[in-house]
Amino acid sequence: MRFKTDLKNVRTFSKLTAALNSLEKIAWVRLDDDTVRFTVIPDTGSQVWASLSVDLIFDNYHIESAEANNTINFELPLGPLQRALKSAVGSSYANLRLTKRDGLPMLSMTIHTMTKDGNGPGPGLGGPNRATTTANADPDAGLLGLPSSTADFTQESLELTMKREREKIITQDIPVRVLHPDTVETIMQPKVREPDVHIQLPPLLQLKAISDRFTKLAVTAASSSGNTRGGGGGTGSGAGGLGGSSSPKLTLSANMHGSLRLRLTTETLDITSVWHGLENPELDPTQLAVPLEEHPSTVFKEAGPDRWATVRVDGKDWSRVLSVGRLEGRVIACFADEHALILYVYVPHVDDVGMEDVVTYYVTSFSA
Amino acid sequence: MVVLNFTLSEEGVAVLHDALACMFKFSDDVCLEARKDKLTLTTLNISKSAYVCFSFAANRFFSRYSFEGTPQYRERFFCQLYIRSLLTIFRARQGSGDLSRERDASIDSCDVAIDDGVGKKSRLVARVSFRNGITASHSLPYEVQPPIHAKFNKAEATNHWVISSRTLRQLMDHFGPGIELLDINTDEEARVVNFTCFTEKVQKRGALNNEAVLKKPLHTNIAVEMDEFDNVEVQDKLHIIISVKDFRGILQHAQMTSGALTSSYSNPGRPMKLSYGTDGVLCEFILMTVGEKDALTQKHKNPRGGVAKVTPAPQLDAASHRGSSVTGGNQPEPPALRPPQHKTPIRTRHPAFEMRPSPVPPPATTRSDSLFVDQDENDEQWEPVNPDEEEEEDTGRLEWNATDEPNPSTLRIGSYVSKPAETEEAPPERLASGLEPTQRLSEVRRFGLFSP
């Protein structure tokens, strides 16, 4: 079993890792000849399937496996990966390979990099400033007071600033657990019926800021009216639908006429944000299982702008999902009314205009 | 009778504060030792494996300095104080940006006096004068206790190197959280010095199928070309291992000097000395290194296996100066007489390493950078909202259908968007912060919330 590759677009890789890491600590990675797939499936919360073509983030990619279709499956902790990628951002060269250390499998990242700002003079307690402000005008000052070694220090530091900075080679070993194909073949990507509404989301930073604000308001509202609800006993079902204290639910709706609605209702407040003029991308009839005119979205479109497809999401989970906005790709949301919400996040290739990869979010939704 | 009296400039106060903040990472109290020519602050950590010493030259660091020997304290005066109280006194006050004299709460100067003698209350009095005319006086009780100095044998420490402290500090950025030990070793062939960080917490071989394997922290190695060092003279393949936490604490302070840091050491299980200095201040650290045999044992064997050997953790050799004050002089440490070396391999000092909860970081001044790499480009705005940490209830969660039915949607997502170029939204505008409940209409427009 061999895997070795150079890294490219480290920033994209790093952002993707950060987005995944906000949902779950460990990812399942599946590599084959042309795809690298990251999957996170949290116990509770939204799951992500990121299928990327190898050349989005890898270069000089080599894979060799005895398993069918030349695949390698392993579990990878995202925190250490993110930390390692941070070292690789801005590096001159980085590669990744599967190896073993002390008998344990490791994903080893080798990075050639410089330190951030070299030996440039910096602010601090040293330097000539200090000398002029605190040194008394005593000609003998240098000879008194300090152990003799101090004199050496000043000389050395002068020399040092002349030195050219060298490239450092950093090796980051991330522990992994190689998975047998049998253990992963049962994990299936979720199946969803044809969506009723598909719509391009507004800029995620905006959507996230407002969603987070709603979530915080729900928590505040719940805690301020908490006294009247009678202590911490909390009948779960009652609190949940109303945006209870522990996990406020946001209601998301969209229509086939360019509108997206975000709504929060609690006992004490009811707030709504609506976006208009968003795009409902057109479907490609050749790729549909049903004729376009019979597709649910056509039905919704004909029903007019008052026909909304609605799902309820958990405020905190939704916030973690929206963290994918850091990838700065277009996001298409697919609503199956009262059933499911899926986000498709398009990650453009930096060096191949027009090429895109897709990260799919299966957002956890709740019944009313 | 006033034994010690000195005045610090604003900058001097800041330097003193930085030094104390650094010491606070090692211990709760500090020993102050005053002589005619210098003021020395020292501390030893609780496991006696790290010793810190800052020396301030009387004639270069202070605006004014006077030490009057009394019959009781002829050569030197010493006392022990709580670092926390000193940090509060010497904390920098921000000038409010308002230039009017009344509002400028920055420190102008600071007078410190110690009045001691028979029949006197032992107090350190610090009088801080602010630019706005206010003077604050603090009176601290202290304990008269001779300082403990760690011994370091210069002659024995044949391995040494010098490198820019900023470069070294930046290397630490690459080490992940959760690591404990730093192994410094050289490779003559490759002409590099390796800094390797690792931990020994999860090291069970039988745990292959356990998720614990994935919880191991990042294992990081950084190879730095010898050319980047000055005066490298190190025995090839020698591994010297110290605590990462101590090293980080030192570098956090060292980087502020932007000077060179000198390191010298002999063998595993023997002390290592790190030092750097600037005009008027010399900073020295003596760290106990982990015994080599133990490091090897721990690397290749299950450290928890078998009966744990209870050998005393190696500690720095200490010498109390109570009796030897007359011979003291300028020499910080005379080449020490060593107790006979342990014949059995000494266990790592870590079992005895009592890690205190990490102290509150010193207030962020413009000069203290974080030990960690900056989050690139406002990344925290993407962090999930987290109003509270309560467990969520599962109410009416809709489950995904994971049956093997043909999946109509997933595989041809690309076709949802037929004309990507024309419909591309402008890249999301970065909001400096979250949205407030009410905004000016003009501010909100740019977010595209309302049509113009």
Side-chain angles (χ1 to χ4, degrees):
Chain A
M1 188 175 287
R2 278 190 192 158
F3 163 57
K4 185 170 192 246
T5 183
D6 294 347
L7 291 181
K8 68 174 185 184
N9 298 339
V10 175
R11 207 170 278 277
T12 303
F13 192 7
S14 169
K15 284 174 176 175
L16 174 70
T17 307
L20 298 179
N21 194 25
S22 63
L23 281 160
E24 178 70 334
K25 299 291 157 232
I26 292 173
W28 160 36
V29 182
R30 183 184 177 280
L31 303 166
D32 65 23
D33 286 331
D34 24 55
T35 317
V36 48
R37 191 174 71 193
F38 292 85
T39 307
V40 300
I41 306 180
D43 289 341
T44 57
S46 304
Q47 49 176 287
V48 190
W49 293 69
S51 270
L52 313 171
S53 48
V54 157
D55 30 317
L56 176 70
I57 49 173
F58 295 153
D59 211 1
N60 294 325
Y61 176 84
H62 296 287
I63 181 170
E64 212 179 297
S65 166
E67 288 166 20
N69 305 321
N70 209 18
T71 59
I72 296 179
N73 287 284
F74 55 88
E75 279 182 301
L76 176 67
L78 291 166
L81 175 65
Q82 198 182 342
R83 185 59 276 238
L85 285 168
K86 216 174 229 177
S87 298
V89 168
S91 62
S92 57
Y93 170 79
N95 77 20
L96 199 60
R97 67 198 164 89
L98 198 58
T99 178
K100 275 193 177 181
R101 193 165 43 76
D102 297 341
L104 294 174
M106 291 280 158
L107 201 55
S108 182
M109 193 185 294
T110 306
I111 303 153
H112 295 224
T113 190
M114 306 285 259
T115 41
K116 258 182 295 171
D117 54 23
N119 298 315
L125 58 85
N129 292 344
R130 161 107 25 221
T132 50
T133 48
T134 53
N136 292 346
D138 182 349
D140 295 327
L143 303 171
L144 295 170
L146 283 174
S148 54
S149 48
T150 326
D152 299 335
F153 289 156
T154 33
Q155 267 177 20
E156 275 158 10
S157 71
L158 281 176
E159 254 172 56
L160 208 75
T161 48
M162 316 291 261
K163 277 203 169 254
R164 196 173 66 84
E165 217 227 314
R166 311 286 167 145
E167 203 168 60
K168 280 104 189 155
I169 298 170
I170 301 171
T171 321
Q172 301 274 26
D173 287 346
I174 307 155
V176 295
R177 191 159 69 124
V178 175
L179 298 172
H180 192 267
D182 292 352
T183 59
V184 290
E185 72 178 357
T186 51
I187 311 173
M188 294 284 183
Q189 198 152 351
K191 316 290 185 220
V192 195
R193 67 173 169 85
E194 287 290 335
D196 299 310
V197 169
H198 45 267
I199 190 164
Q200 178 167 345
L201 292 183
L204 252 53
L205 194 56
Q206 197 185 93
L207 183 56
K208 184 173 186 296
I210 293 173
S211 302
D212 287 355
R213 167 63 63 181
F214 278 24
T215 303
K216 282 180 200 155
L217 277 172
V219 171
T220 321
S223 58
S224 60
S225 64
N227 309 341
T228 56
R229 277 214 212 140
T235 51
S237 57
L242 294 164
S245 59
S246 59
S247 55
K249 303 290 181 291
L250 306 176
T251 308
L252 265 176
S253 315
N255 63 19
M256 282 302 289
H257 295 264
S259 302
L260 174 78
R261 194 172 64 191
L262 177 69
R263 183 173 178 189
L264 168 72
T265 39
T266 70
E267 281 174 352
T268 48
L269 56 92
D270 182 348
I271 43 175
T272 305
S273 274
V274 187
W275 285 261
H276 293 294
L278 302 174
E279 192 200 353
N280 300 104
E282 277 173 37
L283 299 180
D284 180 356
T286 61
Q287 301 222 19
L288 290 179
V290 291
L292 184 57
E293 47 278 10
E294 289 170 31
H295 192 268
S297 66
T298 314
V299 180
F300 264 69
K301 192 169 193 167
E302 284 162 1
D306 290 334
R307 186 70 178 100
W308 298 87
T310 300
V311 293
R312 265 156 296 275
V313 296
D314 177 272
K316 282 184 263 177
D317 179 55
W318 180 239
S319 182
R320 288 193 277 265
V321 167
L322 291 179
S323 146
V324 77
R326 62 180 102 210
L327 277 169
E328 293 170 23
R330 274 173 313 121
V331 182
I332 309 292
C334 290
F335 287 77
D337 190 25
E338 296 293 343
H339 181 65
L341 173 63
I342 302 170
L343 303 188
Y344 298 104
V345 181
Y346 294 85
V347 187
H349 283 223
V350 174
D351 41 3
D352 192 353
V353 182
M355 272 287 285
E356 286 182 312
D357 278 312
V358 180
V359 179
T360 310
Y361 275 74
Y362 296 90
V363 182
T364 303
S365 54
F366 296 81
S367 58
Chain B
M1 182 174 180
V2 177
V3 184
L4 175 70
N5 190 347
F6 60 82
T7 305
L8 294 166
S9 66
E10 180 186 15
E11 227 173 326
V13 171
V15 171
L16 187 60
H17 183 272
D18 290 340
L20 288 164
C22 176
M23 295 183 122
F24 193 52
K25 293 196 172 102
F26 293 86
S27 177
D28 287 335
D29 35 43
V30 58
C31 276
L32 179 150
E33 192 178 348
R35 293 173 191 276
K36 257 212 148 23
D37 57 346
K38 65 173 177 178
L39 181 77
T40 313
L41 298 179
T42 55
T43 194
L44 190 66
N45 72 357
I46 194 160
S47 58
K48 296 189 177 167
S49 60
Y51 163 84
V52 186
C53 174
F54 288 89
S55 309
F56 303 91
N59 50 2
R60 296 174 80 183
F61 178 73
F62 302 93
S63 317
R64 194 170 57 82
Y65 181 95
S66 86
F67 171 79
E68 294 297 335
T70 64
Q72 213 176 341
Y73 308 106
R74 191 168 325 184
E75 291 291 328
R76 57 173 197 151
F77 168 82
F78 47 78
C79 65
Q80 188 171 326
L81 293 140
Y82 278 121
I83 298 181
R84 196 186 289 275
S85 4
L86 292 172
L87 281 174
T88 323
I89 297 174
F90 299 121
R91 185 167 49 92
R93 275 73 163 181
Q94 286 300 318
S96 58
D98 192 335
L99 290 177
S100 67
R101 205 171 166 276
E102 296 75 34
R103 298 276 190 85
D104 191 355
S106 60
I107 293 175
D108 184 43
S109 66
C110 176
D111 273 302
V112 177
I114 291 177
D115 197 355
D116 204 324
V118 182
K120 284 265 188 185
K121 247 189 194 166
S122 300
R123 289 283 184 275
L124 177 146
V125 178
R127 197 163 280 124
V128 186
S129 314
F130 299 95
R131 295 234 158 76
N132 57 12
I134 294 175
T135 302
S137 291
H138 305 265
S139 175
L140 297 183
Y142 55 79
E143 199 180 335
V144 176
Q145 199 172 59
I148 297 168
H149 295 298
K151 290 186 180 179
F152 184 77
N153 184 351
K154 244 187 206 171
E156 178 193 293
T158 48
N159 304 299
H160 50 84
W161 42 261
V162 180
I163 193 171
S164 147
S165 52
R166 309 200 112 221
T167 304
L168 204 51
R169 215 285 301 173
Q170 282 173 9
L171 292 184
M172 296 305 287
D173 284 342
H174 296 287
F175 296 124
I179 40 158
E180 293 172 330
L181 299 174
L182 173 67
D183 176 348
I184 303 169
N185 57 79
T186 47
D187 186 340
E188 282 293 348
E189 247 169 73
R191 296 284 303 152
V192 291
V193 177
N194 288 305
F195 293 85
T196 313
C197 261
F198 62 99
T199 190
E200 289 161 346
K201 263 183 192 155
V202 193
Q203 194 83 25
K204 288 182 185 159
R205 285 214 169 204
L208 265 176
N209 288 321
N210 197 316
E211 286 227 342
V213 173
L214 296 175
K215 293 192 176 131
K216 280 182 67 158
L218 211 54
H219 181 288
T220 308
N221 180 71
I222 304 177
V224 184
E225 280 184 45
M226 284 192 183
D227 290 345
E228 194 152 345
F229 291 83
D230 274 308
N231 301 343
V232 199
E233 208 182 308
V234 183
Q235 185 191 327
D236 191 23
K237 304 277 188 303
L238 175 71
H239 287 256
I240 202 91
I241 299 170
I242 54 173
S243 149
V244 171
K245 189 170 162 279
D246 293 347
F247 197 58
R248 274 203 163 124
I250 295 166
L251 288 176
Q252 176 103 42
H253 183 262
Q255 62 153 349
M256 293 192 259
T257 65
S258 69
L261 181 141
T262 304
S263 166
S264 49
Y265 48 94
S266 55
N267 287 312
R270 307 289 308 142
M272 170 192 222
K273 181 167 160 182
L274 296 165
S275 58
Y276 50 90
T278 51
D279 195 70
V281 189
L282 177 68
C283 317
E284 292 172 297
F285 301 83
I286 300 176
L287 304 176
M288 197 58 198
T289 64
V290 175
E292 184 173 40
K293 289 231 168 104
D294 305 295
L296 288 175
T297 321
Q298 295 209 341
K299 259 192 164 173
H300 300 295
K301 265 197 205 166
N302 179 358
R304 316 255 184 285
V307 186
K309 287 172 277 177
V310 190
T311 30
Q315 296 178 343
L316 297 165
D317 298 316
S320 163
H321 267 220
R322 189 188 283 279
S324 65
S325 61
V326 196
T327 58
N330 264 356
Q331 198 79 2
E333 287 312 326
L337 293 167
R338 314 227 133 267
Q341 206 164 345
H342 296 262
K343 284 277 186 282
T344 48
I346 313 157
R347 240 182 113 68
T348 164
R349 61 187 183 157
H350 276 267
F353 231 90
E354 192 171 316
M355 294 290 187
R356 280 181 291 113
S358 25
V360 193
T365 63
T366 45
R367 322 192 299 164
S368 72
D369 292 357
S370 147
L371 257 187
F372 302 96
V373 180
D374 298 332
Q375 295 267 322
D376 48 335
E377 37 180 83
N378 272 338
D379 229 16
E380 64 276 13
Q381 68 202 355
W382 292 114
E383 290 311 314
V385 66
N386 199 12
D388 55 5
E389 275 300 337
E390 287 174 54
E391 264 316 299
E392 21 199 296
E393 328 157 16
D394 267 15
T395 40
R397 185 151 70 96
L398 302 173
E399 296 298 336
W400 292 105
N401 172 14
T403 57
D404 209 7
E405 287 162 18
N407 182 351
S409 310
T410 38
L411 293 173
R412 48 187 166 69
I413 320 136
S415 62
Y416 275 137
V417 192
S418 43
K419 299 168 230 161
E422 295 165 41
T423 53
E424 193 78 304
E425 287 263 321
E429 203 169 342
R430 301 209 165 271
L431 313 196
S433 61
L435 292 180
E436 290 305 311
T438 52
Q439 299 98 11
R440 286 172 174 280
L441 208 54
S442 58
E443 286 172 356
V444 172
R445 281 234 167 82
R446 68 194 172 97
F447 302 140
L449 287 177
F450 303 94
S451 38

